[in-house]
Amino acid sequence: MAGQKMLKFVDVARDMPEKRPPDLRRDDFHEIYAEYADDKAKEQSSRCSQCGVPYCQSHCPLHNNIPDWLRMTAEGRLQEAYELSQATNTFPEICGRICPQDRLCEGNCVIEQSGHGTVTIGSVEKYITDTAFEEGWVKPIRPHTERSESVGIIGAGPAGLAAADMLRRAGLQVTVYDRYDRGGGLLTYGIPGFKLEKDVVMRRMAQLEDGGVEFVLNCDVGDDISFDAIRGKHESVLIATGVYKTRALEAPGVGSDGIVRAIDYLTASNRKSFGDDVEEFDSGELNADGKSVVVIGGGDTAMDCVRTAVRQGARSVKCLYRRDEANMPGSLREVQNAKEEGVEFVWLSAPKGFTTRSDMAGTAVEVVGGVMVQKMRLGAPDATGRQMPELVEGSDYVEEADLVVQALGFEPEDIPTLWGVPELEVTRWGTIKAEFTTGQTSLEGVFAAGDIVRGASLVVWAIRDGRDAAAAILDYVDQGASVVAAE
């Protein structure tokens, strides 16, 4: 019955009060949804075969004990299910929303492999954690023993926050420094709200702050405070800045107005959702409303951009990718979602340059008018086994565009130079060189975790890295405390 009511509500709830049945009010939503969601969570969880070969667990970067908390959910033991989930995952409500489960746990579900459709693990994970917050099962961080040692964490993204949570639970004093005015990193400003509601991120931020984690926001290390000053204030430091430098195109016309970076485009949209004044959005510079939009790239960030453009009221949205659909790096589920929302994918296509037109105001500013597209074909595999795109001669054409979003991925900033620490070793890719299991860098007491070490990757891997680094930092601080005690 709850399922029928829920479907009925969904059909009429989108700003159509005149079509709403008299027996169904908006105020009924939470009650109906709660009953429906509980039924669906139990139904999906009960499908878990307890197969004895938990590929779902082994393919989760956090090695979450998925079969056991699915069984608990099926039995109605939601609080126990939440506690088991939380034991290995600092932010299960976030992973449940944005993990590419089709490539991880759900894609390796035994039921899925046998052709009967996967257990919707991500949805269940989201449900049990949201329920835990509503029921008050998520408790504030209250360490058994407070310690005097402190850790400074640079970066309030998923790696830094996961480490902060674990270190604070161990009783250490934790200060997180971040360049933005809100914590969360890409969780807050990079991922669209239709995938990850911002109140969900802010709820976790509030929990950490209530638990004693200090946040120093609007703080750009190297400008507002030196790295050496941070090291001097803390027994240990964790670098968890993520990677924010955009890979840029080099092609004729690339500097024209209307060609923007994905991070700028998504940040403007997310800031607007917070109610901030965003001049670039209001002026139309970072707003797709009424425009022909072309997004260049094939990863999850590109999918975030095309789906955001649809919601902003773009006249048309196209995604250019130089390989075919089978070779896209992004989530297959996200690609399918984008297709269903009207995005057109232009496969085996790469930008050669950009056509321009004069600004309508009569200024000398050149504004993008289109993308010069060159068609590609897949040739021999490279060293990684992926087929390399090759140019198809004489196939060029122009794709109309009023707004072009570059979503070609992210690279690390030159941190040693920006922070004035040339002794901080980096790899040939610019990521920080750190020990694989501990995150220890070339600097004594300085650790690193997340994308700044492994390169642009998934949120779930950043959480894993942050937790691993926190364990190593705790060992390091404990060793220091033992030396002091011995003296």
Side-chain angles (χ1 to χ4, degrees):
M1 185 61 181
Q4 294 175 348
K5 285 184 179 179
M6 185 62 189
L7 293 174
K8 189 178 181 183
F9 184 91
V10 170
D11 286 341
V12 302
R14 295 183 178 178
D15 302 318
M16 296 188 294
E18 71 280 359
K19 296 184 180 180
R20 193 181 309 141
D23 63 334
L24 189 64
R25 299 172 295 111
R26 275 188 186 273
D27 293 342
D28 295 331
F29 176 77
H30 291 294
E31 180 180 352
I32 295 172
Y33 177 75
E35 184 182 349
Y36 172 77
D38 188 64
D39 288 347
K40 293 300 291 183
K42 289 178 180 177
E43 173 192 316
Q44 280 296 315
S45 297
S46 65
R47 296 180 64 232
C48 180
S49 62
Q50 300 298 308
C51 57
V53 187
Y55 292 128
C56 56
Q57 183 173 356
S58 62
H59 283 80
C60 170
L62 290 163
H63 299 307
N64 287 326
N65 198 341
I66 296 168
D68 282 348
W69 56 251
L70 283 175
R71 185 185 71 252
M72 292 173 180
T73 302
E75 294 170 355
R77 299 156 58 192
L78 291 184
Q79 184 170 357
E80 294 174 76
Y82 161 72
E83 290 170 353
L84 187 60
S85 172
Q86 180 76 30
T88 53
N89 187 355
T90 316
F91 311 121
E93 76 284 9
I94 290 173
C95 288
R97 286 169 163 84
I98 64 173
C99 263
Q101 287 94 1
D102 56 317
R103 284 189 279 162
L104 300 172
C105 55
E106 293 181 14
N108 291 278
C109 170
V110 170
I111 298 176
E112 167 74 4
Q113 297 297 324
S114 63
H116 298 289
T118 185
V119 175
T120 56
I121 297 167
S123 296
V124 176
E125 184 178 39
K126 167 184 174 292
Y127 170 70
I128 61 177
T129 316
D130 286 350
T131 301
F133 271 104
E134 292 169 6
E135 296 294 331
W137 301 334
V138 183
K139 302 298 182 184
I141 300 172
R142 296 292 183 262
H144 291 297
T145 304
E146 290 287 353
R147 299 178 54 166
S148 60
E149 301 96 339
S150 70
V151 177
I153 298 175
I154 304 174
L161 296 181
D165 179 273
M166 290 194 66
L167 292 168
R168 186 70 196 109
R169 291 179 188 277
L172 297 180
Q173 309 309 307
V174 179
T175 302
V176 180
Y177 304 84
D178 196 86
R179 68 177 69 176
Y180 290 106
D181 57 343
R182 296 179 179 93
L186 290 178
L187 300 178
T188 299
Y189 287 130
I191 298 174
F194 57 81
K195 284 175 59 177
L196 177 59
E197 307 93 315
K198 300 311 161 187
D199 60 333
V200 170
V201 182
M202 294 301 106
R203 182 175 63 186
R204 275 294 182 183
M205 291 295 301
Q207 185 218 16
L208 290 169
E209 196 164 17
D210 182 52
V213 176
E214 179 186 358
F215 288 93
V216 181
L217 302 176
N218 287 312
C219 179
D220 200 349
V221 177
D223 290 333
D224 301 312
I225 187 173
S226 71
F227 180 68
D228 287 341
I230 293 176
R231 287 188 75 186
K233 292 178 63 174
H234 305 284
E235 274 73 19
S236 182
V237 173
L238 174 65
I239 302 172
T241 55
V243 290
Y244 281 88
K245 181 182 176 183
T246 301
R247 291 176 184 154
L249 285 169
E250 294 184 4
V254 75
S256 305
D257 279 7
I259 302 175
V260 303
R261 303 188 310 163
I263 188 63
D264 297 332
Y265 176 65
L266 294 172
T267 298
S269 178
N270 281 315
R271 282 196 178 280
K272 200 66 182 176
S273 71
F274 278 108
D276 294 353
D277 291 328
V278 186
E279 181 180 347
E280 296 90 344
F281 184 93
D282 296 336
S283 69
E285 179 183 345
L286 295 175
N287 185 349
D289 185 26
K291 297 179 180 178
S292 295
V293 178
V294 172
V295 175
I296 301 171
D300 289 339
T301 299
M303 296 307 98
D304 291 344
C305 291
V306 295
R307 298 184 68 198
T308 295
V310 168
R311 284 158 176 76
Q312 289 177 350
R315 183 168 68 251
S316 67
V317 182
K318 296 183 179 181
C319 179
L320 256 61
Y321 183 56
R322 62 181 185 154
R323 289 185 169 93
D324 60 8
E325 183 172 4
N327 285 279
M328 281 192 82
S331 166
L332 298 177
R333 186 177 298 170
E334 284 294 296
V335 174
Q336 185 59 37
N337 288 338
K339 287 181 178 179
E340 291 172 355
E341 292 168 5
V343 175
E344 180 182 342
F345 286 85
V346 186
W347 309 112
L348 293 166
S349 301
K352 181 179 180 180
F354 302 91
T355 62
T356 60
R357 53 184 170 78
S358 298
D359 185 86
M360 294 179 66
T363 67
V365 175
E366 291 295 317
V367 180
V368 69
V371 183
M372 293 184 285
V373 179
Q374 50 188 4
K375 298 301 292 182
M376 314 294 286
R377 60 170 170 257
L378 295 181
D382 62 12
T384 67
R386 297 181 75 194
Q387 288 181 276
M388 289 295 292
E390 298 175 347
L391 177 65
V392 177
E393 295 291 346
S395 62
D396 299 2
Y397 72 99
V398 175
E399 191 77 67
E400 177 192 354
D402 304 311
L403 177 65
V404 176
V405 183
Q406 301 180 72
L408 301 171
F410 300 99
E411 297 175 340
E413 298 165 294
D414 184 2
I415 286 181
T417 300
L418 291 173
W419 293 358
V421 281
E423 63 273 24
L424 179 63
E425 294 182 8
V426 297
T427 68
R428 62 190 177 96
W429 300 281
T431 53
I432 292 177
K433 187 179 290 186
E435 291 182 7
F436 178 70
T437 55
T438 67
Q440 172 70 58
T441 72
S442 57
L443 302 179
E444 176 67 25
V446 176
F447 296 76
D451 287 1
I452 194 58
V453 175
R454 68 167 62 242
S457 187
L458 302 174
V459 167
V460 66
W461 276 113
I463 295 172
R464 164 71 182 271
D465 294 345
R467 291 172 66 94
D468 288 348
I473 289 170
L474 188 57
D475 286 342
Y476 176 82
V477 172
D478 285 344
Q479 291 171 11
S482 297
V483 171
V484 171
E487 294 174 350

